[in-house]
Amino acid sequence: LQMIKDKGSFQQICRVWRFSGLKTALVPTMGYFHQGHLSLMSYAKSAADKCIVSLFVNPTQFGPNEDLEAYPRDHERDAEAAERAGADLLFIPEHGDVYAPDHATWIEVPPLSAHLCGKSRPTHFRGVATIVAKLFNLATPSLAVFGQKDWQQLAIIKKMVRDLDMAVQVVGRPIIREEDGLAMSSRNAYLTPEERKAAPMLHQGLLEAQRLVERGVVQAREIIRGVSEFYAENLPQGELDYLELVDPDRIEPVQKVENQALLATAMRLGRARLIDNLLLSGTRA
Ligand code: PAF
């Protein structure tokens, strides 16, 4: 595994690979790797000749009162884990090297970022889209791999790539869960042991929705009421940010589950803000 800090050298290596005919896959991350990240790297390695990983806690996607300073970091452990997962190049830039002091260009995808996480984090997706576009320009990857836990982020990146004709194939990969169902996240590190014990109920609530749909309950209002009641009973210490049924591509609210709809939720549990989602399949032929 080659580790690199300097933006120019990173761009140079990636270009040499790409233009010598190698297929390259980029896995953009903010570090503190768990199995979810490592599964993206393993996939990248299996789908391409070179697996490129970026590790940068991107300040522009954090709001003023969010956890930028507290975000967990362990570069040494991350480098070892990335190497084991098959990464060939690990890019860990300094903040000042990524954003010039007079940085002024932003990418926004308003119709998709207005919903779900965008309501309580109004500048978040602008920061995400902009850093991902910068990373695409630096790494010029054949494909880029993202986790489906951040479903809305993935939808926004796919839309950005289509709208701006970026020559990158965007691949979403399934959520990796702990044995008890909690979606893996670097932010799970914020949970106290007690909160950690309760946290899998977030996923259980989504499974409850799947059961409702299987019993023929397809109206968004009824599904949301059922899951909200489940949370009130089983996860009373959690503070629900949102629980919404949306179109999986457009991220707009839908009235009922037809074909496929995404049930997405965010909940504050102690210091952590956890997100999770489940694709619900409706009327089967
Ligand atoms: O999903 C993340 O870790 C981040 O949002 C990303 C895509 C690396 C951009 O900073």
Side-chain angles (χ1 to χ4, degrees):
L1 172 79
Q2 190 176 355
M3 283 169 69
I4 206 146
K5 257 183 166 187
D6 176 63
K7 185 160 94 165
S9 316
F10 174 68
Q11 191 165 38
Q12 175 74 15
I13 295 170
C14 293
R15 281 186 184 205
V16 168
W17 280 345
R18 189 70 201 279
F19 296 116
S20 65
L22 293 175
K23 186 169 177 183
T24 60
L26 173 69
V27 184
T29 81
M30 300 205 302
Y32 212 66
F33 298 150
H34 49 67
Q35 281 307 319
H37 295 110
L38 303 179
S39 76
L40 303 182
M41 295 175 206
S42 305
Y43 173 82
K45 187 65 182 177
S46 72
D49 301 307
K50 295 285 183 189
C51 167
I52 303 164
V53 178
S54 65
L55 191 173
F56 179 60
V57 182
N58 172 38
T60 65
Q61 69 188 75
F62 288 79
N65 298 314
E66 293 183 359
D67 57 342
L68 173 62
E69 298 306 324
Y71 200 85
R73 292 161 168 90
D74 189 342
H75 289 181
E76 213 172 294
R77 195 194 60 136
D78 281 352
E80 287 167 12
E83 178 155 39
R84 279 199 303 275
D88 297 288
L89 183 60
L90 179 59
F91 176 46
I92 313 187
E94 304 276 2
H95 171 258
D97 198 22
V98 175
Y99 290 102
D102 61 345
H103 178 95
T105 306
W106 300 99
I107 294 186
E108 298 194 60
V109 190
L112 278 74
S113 63
H115 305 287
L116 305 181
C117 286
K119 285 188 199 157
S120 58
R121 309 185 75 192
T123 58
H124 172 66
F125 289 115
R126 172 184 105 144
V128 168
T130 303
I131 191 67
V132 170
K134 282 165 73 67
L135 289 166
F136 284 0
N137 284 335
L138 289 171
T140 52
S142 321
L143 63 131
V145 191
F146 297 86
Q148 288 173 341
K149 184 168 75 67
D150 298 287
W151 187 288
Q152 187 177 13
Q153 162 174 291
L154 178 62
I156 286 171
I157 291 166
K158 284 182 176 164
K159 178 92 173 98
M160 169 184 83
V161 163
R162 277 200 308 277
D163 284 354
L164 298 181
D165 301 310
M166 293 177 167
V168 183
Q169 183 199 345
V170 176
V171 180
R173 298 289 299 163
I175 297 176
I176 303 293
R177 298 182 180 279
E178 303 284 357
E179 255 170 47
D180 58 14
L182 175 65
M184 289 197 187
S185 163
S186 307
R187 289 189 167 103
N188 292 349
Y190 298 150
L191 298 171
T192 64
E194 214 154 285
E195 288 159 359
R196 172 63 191 80
K197 246 204 245 157
M201 285 298 151
L202 192 64
H203 176 54
Q204 285 297 326
L206 302 181
L207 295 177
E208 178 67 16
Q210 182 71 67
R211 282 190 288 273
L212 287 172
V213 173
E214 279 160 15
R215 289 209 303 268
V217 180
V218 294
Q219 293 296 328
R221 214 159 0 107
E222 289 175 54
I223 294 170
I224 287 163
R225 191 186 332 117
V227 178
S228 301
E229 283 170 7
F230 179 94
Y231 286 150
E233 205 168 298
N234 296 284
L235 195 48
Q237 62 276 59
E239 213 181 288
L240 201 58
D241 179 358
Y242 64 76
L243 173 66
E244 281 190 62
L245 192 69
V246 299
D247 177 278
D249 300 315
R250 294 194 304 275
I251 315 294
E252 285 165 1
V254 293
Q255 297 304 313
K256 63 184 214 175
V257 180
E258 270 174 316
N259 302 319
Q260 291 203 309
L262 185 81
L263 185 64
T265 187
M267 186 178 278
R268 211 161 267 292
L269 191 57
R271 272 179 63 218
R273 181 177 175 280
L274 305 178
I275 59 172
D276 204 345
N277 65 71
L278 187 67
L279 207 51
L280 299 175
S281 301
T283 44
R284 295 190 190 91

